[in-house]
Amino acid sequence: MDFNYDDNQRMLFDMVDRFLTDKHDLVKREALLKDPAAEAALWREMAELGLMGAAFPEEVGGFAGSSADSFVVMERFGRHLVTQPYLYTAVIGGRLLIEGLSGDARQDAIGPVIAGERQLALAAGSTHMLRSAEDTSFTAAADGAGWTISGRMPVVLNGDRADRLIVAARTSGSTGEREGVTLFLVDADAQGVSRRSFRMIDAFGAAEVVLENVAVGGENVLGPVDGGVALVELALDHGVAAVCAEAIGAMEYLIPATAEYTRTRIQYGAPLAKFQVLQHRMADMYIQTQTAKSMALVAAMSLDGDAVERQRMISAAKVQVARSGKYVGYQAVQLHGGMGVSEELDIGHHYIRLNVINQLFGDSSFHLARFGALARPVAA
Amino acid sequence: MDLSIDDKVQALRQEIRAFFAKNLPPEFARKTLAGDKLTKEEHKQWHALLREKGWHVPLWPKEHGGPGWGPMERFIWEEESGMAGAPRLNHVSQDLLGPVLIEFGTPEQKAELLPRILSSEDWWCQGFSEPQAGSDLANLQMRAVRDGDDYIVTGTKLWTSYAHVANKIFCLVRTSTDGPKQAGISFLLIDMEQPGVTVSPIYTLGGMLSVNEVQIDEVRVPVTNLVGREGGAWDITKFLLGNERLMGAWIGVNMAFARQVRERLEQVGPDGRKRSENAVLAQRVAEVETDLVALRYTTYRVLADELSGKAPGPEVSVIKVRGGEIMQNLTELLMEMAEAEGMVHPLTMPHDGLPVVPFELEHMAQQFFDKRKLTIYGGSSEIQRNIIARRLLNV
Ligand SMILES: Cc1cc2nc3c(=O)[nH]c(=O)nc-3n(C[C@H](O)[C@H](O)[C@H](O)COP(=O)(O)OP(=O)(O)OC[C@H]3O[C@@H](n4cnc5c(N)ncnc54)[C@H](O)[C@@H]3O)c2cc1C
């Protein structure tokens, strides 16, 4: 057993960290959010560093990485409060392309993603934070050799910047059924697609997406017709592992930042750090983070294994990370007092992101239920 | 022991409800309940409506234009206002400064300033906290140096709520550095509309603008603006904070949130099933509902003791801590149940056609993150626990 990064992962870590230390902090992020051209330029630079393909195998043009390599990237993104959509483009979108296409079609679709020329978004068709696809409200009807898709989704994460939308649409059966949902690769500029952009509370971009009789060719179907739900589940499990890593990056930053703040903030003639109640609070933040980190690593290492074990570990990790992230974020803000709720400090922004992560890709009640349904006696 | 509330108070509750049903503009209630903010003009409109009824300064005695309510009536007012989604008015002027002036002000101060609050001409803000004086309020540094009939005031106030819409500020200032820290602090009224006063906004989580930094640089303030005696601010401050001690329970507002939580739980979610079928969620909702019932009766218990003549003591710290935590839990549930539509940033939403997400959901995340302040300001939860430990447990 080994819970440490290997040499390649160390190198990836150092590279990402150096890059972000140089290019990304709260002030620069504020500027980026107002400047789409600067955001696009940063995205291209990240692709030039090889980030987009870091976790992809060589056979699809990646850099011989494994799914676990996304952990390294996302953990650093979490630390540096990055709002660039690696998660939606490379982790979730990339996974759907890898699993849903083959041969030249796959190469053609993934190449531009790795090159940083194309962004992706999953439009799973419902109002939840990407939990599943069986309740999509998009519908697609066969139309000769192709399909015609219609529907509306109010909040598509990264829908504002995506060049290609991966749309989950019902092709047979009825809402809630696992069978009958098909995934389509839709050009965001296609006739009949309209979008209105905005931001989420954590500053990530999103858009309302409306599809009106959008025609797509048969070659744009990802995976089996009527069999899209399992594919989305797999991709979202990759998403869970990624945000668990991101949360660890945030938590491992918040603890020393809070400790440092309490060492320097004087009230009642002494540093706040002298109050034992606050010391214990920080010790609890540490305890919470350690258990969460173990599970985030387990999640990353379970991605490519047995499907049931993957789902169990992903769900266990999500629940633990949510619990820990909620505690650590809350206390980091609390111990900073008024400064904690100010937008000038990164502390509050991390707290917001940790809370959004809790809602993404199935919240705790979803994952507790899934874990329970798959439960088996704890094996040795 | 007896749980019933006397008939006179019940009748007042009914009267308040009927008044709100008839007079509270639905748009104001809708905004307040959805976590949106009213403009100053809208606040003034509501103030005028209340004024006709004589309920615009609910904490004030009759002789100064208030309804002359006792603690129970005031509490019922708070509950009903919160539940109805009635906007909380110019609260700092009416609920904080007004009673202070009535108790400690000179006849001239009362004659000049109370009518300006009654007419909503003056909007006051509270300048207590400073960069080096948060929890440790007595450490404040803003200096007021006597010069003839004036004080010359210099210093910085931090986290001043609504300074950006206020025209006046009451400050705790240091008039002496001798002796115990508390004894050198005075309570001073300062006009903000003059050179030397600079207000800079501080944005808080979710892009909210409610707090500010107020810099005061060599501003002359007449000695007649002193409330109470020089060096006597500590007792005034205790009186002022005591006046809102039961408000920290936020019973009415919490009940309005709980009602929304329950409604949303009984609705059908995007998966086509009632949310209440989710056992984990249903249990969390029931838990916070029972927490709220317990807080409500705890508040009533303190109130009943007060009515029977027992001075309320440090047990109000219990109420402050729980009131904030419960509101944080309720707003979290509201945000979670709103799912992706509740996670949007309301200040970034397009307004070029039909709304992207329903109005009632748009502010859910912003509202939740804004409530983070409840366990920090007005005596943090740690400070409240220190009070309980020291004053009630003698440890
Ligand atoms: C939204 C908002 C609105 C506000 N409005 C106003 C206003 O209108 N007017 C005004 O004057 N002030 C206002 N405040 C200021 C508020 O009262 C202070 O933030 C509060 O007193 C805490 O001070 P601080 O922020 O400096 O935190 P600090 O005092 O630095 O505290 C930081 C952390 O240390 C803990 N701590 C401090 N001392 C102890 C101790 N002895 N034992 C254990 N733990 C301790 C605190 O509980 C907190 O968790 C507002 C604050 C906020 C956030």
Side-chain angles (χ1 to χ4, degrees):
Chain A
M1 240 185 242
D2 185 358
F3 286 86
N4 295 302
Y5 292 161
D6 64 24
D7 287 346
N8 284 333
Q9 289 169 330
R10 257 277 125 225
M11 273 164 57
L12 180 62
F13 176 97
D14 288 341
M15 183 186 75
V16 176
D17 192 60
R18 241 182 325 215
F19 179 77
L20 293 175
T21 303
D22 183 34
K23 300 271 177 185
H24 202 280
D25 58 24
L26 193 56
V27 175
K28 289 178 183 142
R29 188 179 92 161
E30 286 308 303
L32 274 178
L33 295 177
K34 295 191 189 92
D35 185 353
E39 266 197 312
L42 183 72
W43 186 257
R44 277 194 303 277
E45 281 183 76
M46 294 198 304
E48 280 160 21
L49 280 182
L51 288 196
M52 300 312 149
F56 292 162
E58 248 164 342
E59 72 219 53
V60 300
F63 305 107
S66 71
S67 306
D69 292 338
S70 283
F71 184 99
V72 181
V73 177
M74 288 302 295
E75 189 272 342
R76 281 298 89 187
F77 274 31
R79 156 65 187 88
H80 291 278
L81 213 51
V82 176
T83 45
Q84 298 304 308
Y86 174 81
L87 175 61
Y88 300 112
T89 299
V91 177
I92 294 175
R95 181 57 40 185
L96 289 168
L97 298 183
I98 290 177
E99 305 291 336
L101 295 170
S102 56
D104 288 348
R106 177 157 86 171
Q107 243 35 59
D108 291 347
I110 293 181
V113 171
I114 293 176
E117 289 156 7
R118 189 175 287 170
Q119 289 197 5
L120 303 171
L122 171 60
S126 187
T127 51
H128 48 60
M129 295 285 278
L130 289 179
R131 182 172 61 214
S132 56
E134 61 246 39
D135 51 1
T136 180
S137 57
F138 289 113
T139 54
D143 182 8
W147 300 82
T148 310
I149 316 175
S150 292
R152 168 182 181 268
M153 182 168 165
V155 181
V156 177
L157 298 165
N158 203 40
D160 56 331
R161 285 172 75 188
D163 307 282
R164 292 275 191 287
L165 302 166
I166 298 167
V167 177
R170 187 147 289 281
T171 38
S172 72
S174 54
T175 292
E177 290 174 6
R178 281 183 70 82
E179 288 299 304
V181 173
T182 306
L183 301 183
F184 298 92
L185 199 52
V186 177
D187 195 327
D189 293 330
Q191 179 95 36
V193 178
S194 53
R195 297 189 280 179
R196 285 191 294 167
S197 302
F198 49 90
R199 291 201 180 266
M200 304 303 283
I201 196 74
D202 58 7
F204 277 68
E208 172 198 46
V209 170
V210 180
L211 306 181
E212 273 175 294
N213 298 317
V214 176
V216 295
E219 71 282 7
N220 290 316
V221 172
L222 290 186
V225 169
D226 288 344
V229 165
L231 213 55
V232 168
E233 275 172 1
L234 172 65
L236 293 181
D237 279 355
H238 281 261
V240 170
V243 292
C244 285
E246 187 187 351
I248 297 305
M251 287 188 247
E252 288 199 320
Y253 167 70
L254 288 173
I255 296 171
T258 305
E260 177 61 16
Y261 186 77
T262 59
R263 276 195 295 270
T264 49
R265 169 81 174 155
I266 312 280
Q267 288 288 273
Y268 303 100
L272 292 178
K274 287 269 182 265
F275 297 115
Q276 199 167 39
V277 63
L278 302 186
Q279 293 173 3
H280 282 194
R281 215 66 75 69
M282 290 185 274
D284 277 332
M285 290 164 74
Y286 184 81
I287 293 169
Q288 288 290 339
T289 302
Q290 288 308 310
T291 47
K293 186 175 186 176
S294 308
M295 287 313 297
L297 287 162
V298 168
M301 291 186 276
S302 306
L303 282 171
D304 296 332
D306 165 68
V308 174
E309 188 60 9
R310 179 196 86 217
Q311 294 196 345
R312 286 180 72 236
M313 289 302 110
I314 289 288
S315 286
K318 185 70 181 358
V319 169
Q320 181 60 55
V321 166
R323 199 184 285 143
S324 298
K326 196 166 145 174
Y327 184 83
V328 172
Y330 188 95
Q331 296 302 341
V333 171
Q334 182 71 21
L335 270 53
H336 277 79
M339 294 304 292
V341 299
S342 156
E343 280 203 329
E344 270 167 53
L345 242 62
D346 53 6
I347 303 298
H349 296 277
H350 280 294
Y351 170 64
I352 290 180
R353 179 63 184 159
L354 284 168
N355 275 278
V356 174
I357 285 174
N358 288 357
Q359 299 310 301
L360 277 171
F361 317 139
D363 62 7
S364 289
S365 68
F366 173 84
H367 282 287
L368 282 168
R370 193 173 84 162
F371 182 83
L374 299 169
R376 48 167 91 141
V378 178
Chain B
M1 280 192 239
D2 177 12
L3 271 183
S4 63
I5 291 180
D6 83 52
D7 291 347
K8 251 177 63 196
V9 176
Q10 286 294 14
L12 175 66
R13 194 192 278 288
Q14 295 312 326
E15 192 187 351
I16 295 171
R17 276 190 195 171
F19 176 82
F20 285 157
K22 191 155 165 272
N23 296 288
L24 176 59
E27 187 55 24
F28 292 4
R30 194 169 98 108
K31 271 193 180 180
T32 308
L33 291 171
D36 199 1
K37 290 271 178 290
L38 268 64
T39 63
K40 189 170 174 176
E41 275 321 302
E42 288 172 324
H43 274 290
K44 284 188 165 180
Q45 227 176 304
W46 177 228
H47 181 93
L49 286 164
L50 286 175
R51 194 176 178 184
E52 279 172 39
K53 178 76 182 170
W55 286 348
H56 53 322
V57 281
L59 263 56
W60 295 19
K62 275 212 166 89
E63 52 171 316
H64 292 291
W69 283 336
M72 183 55 106
E73 286 83 359
R74 289 178 196 173
F75 186 74
I76 298 294
W77 168 259
E78 277 287 313
E79 270 195 356
E80 291 300 324
S81 303
M83 280 194 280
R88 208 164 126 110
L89 294 166
N90 196 355
H91 150 76
V92 179
S93 311
Q94 292 162 355
D95 303 341
L96 300 182
L97 184 64
V100 162
L101 290 176
I102 290 168
E103 184 77 16
F104 298 96
T106 61
E108 294 74 27
Q109 285 169 344
K110 288 185 209 178
E112 189 200 337
L113 298 173
L114 294 180
R116 295 176 60 91
I117 296 176
L118 284 167
S119 64
S120 205
E121 264 173 278
D122 278 349
W123 282 54
W124 289 87
C125 58
Q126 168 178 306
F128 286 6
S129 305
E130 295 182 6
Q132 302 312 321
S135 298
D136 182 11
L137 189 56
N139 193 42
L140 62 94
Q141 316 284 329
M142 181 173 275
R143 291 291 309 266
V145 180
R146 185 75 184 255
D147 181 44
D149 289 339
D150 295 333
Y151 288 108
I152 299 175
V153 182
T154 298
T156 302
K157 292 294 174 184
L158 201 61
W159 313 119
T160 318
S161 294
Y162 303 110
H164 57 295
V165 290
N167 59 326
K168 292 187 174 161
I169 180 168
F170 54 92
C171 289
L172 295 183
V173 295
R174 185 156 296 289
T175 38
S176 162
T177 49
D178 299 334
K181 278 183 178 174
Q182 282 86 340
I185 301 174
S186 304
F187 196 107
L188 203 57
L189 308 172
I190 302 177
D191 193 343
M192 295 172 76
E193 291 171 335
Q194 58 175 318
V197 180
T198 313
V199 178
S200 322
I202 302 172
Y203 291 90
T204 52
L205 301 185
M208 303 283 289
L209 174 53
S210 64
V211 291
N212 305 268
E213 181 186 86
V214 180
Q215 273 171 305
I216 299 189
D217 186 23
E218 305 218 350
V219 169
R220 278 190 173 271
V221 180
V223 171
T224 50
N225 282 17
L226 186 70
V227 180
R229 61 178 172 81
E230 193 177 281
W234 210 246
D235 286 338
I236 302 177
T237 306
K238 272 198 236 153
F239 171 88
L240 178 148
L241 298 175
N243 241 330
E244 60 164 5
R245 62 192 175 265
L246 294 184
M247 287 182 194
W250 296 105
I251 297 295
V253 176
N254 272 326
M255 284 172 62
F257 282 134
R259 186 180 62 215
Q260 292 178 57
V261 165
R262 178 52 66 180
E263 276 166 13
R264 218 157 283 161
L265 182 74
E266 303 300 341
Q267 282 166 4
V268 174
D271 57 3
R273 288 203 292 265
K274 267 180 122 183
R275 289 202 180 86
S276 53
E277 287 178 35
N278 176 336
V280 177
L281 185 63
Q283 176 164 349
R284 282 174 61 205
V285 170
E287 265 172 20
V288 65
E289 285 173 335
T290 53
D291 280 343
L292 178 54
V293 175
L295 175 67
R296 191 174 183 209
Y297 280 109
T298 304
T299 312
Y300 274 118
R301 193 151 67 88
V302 174
L303 201 56
D305 281 352
E306 188 178 343
L307 288 171
S308 69
K310 189 172 158 238
E315 53 279 356
V316 293
S317 291
V318 175
I319 286 168
K320 164 80 168 54
V321 169
R322 292 304 287 147
E325 288 171 352
I326 288 171
M327 195 182 296
Q328 289 172 348
N329 290 340
L330 286 167
T331 51
E332 179 176 40
L333 281 163
L334 284 175
M335 173 179 78
E336 288 181 18
M337 282 192 270
E339 306 199 70
E341 292 176 303
M343 282 288 179
V344 302
H345 198 309
L347 302 178
T348 68
M349 299 310 285
H351 289 291
D352 57 348
L354 289 176
V356 173
V357 303
F359 176 79
E360 315 81 68
L361 304 186
E362 200 173 283
H363 291 83
M364 288 300 110
Q366 187 190 49
Q367 170 173 273
F368 167 69
F369 290 112
D370 183 49
K371 298 303 177 214
R372 191 60 199 77
K373 67 192 176 192
L374 295 175
T375 50
I376 293 171
Y377 71 12
S380 71
S381 291
E382 287 75 22
I383 297 302
Q384 303 299 336
R385 288 183 170 94
N386 285 347
I387 292 173
I388 292 170
R390 267 189 220 132
R391 311 239 305 265
L392 290 167
L393 310 178
N394 292 317
V395 290

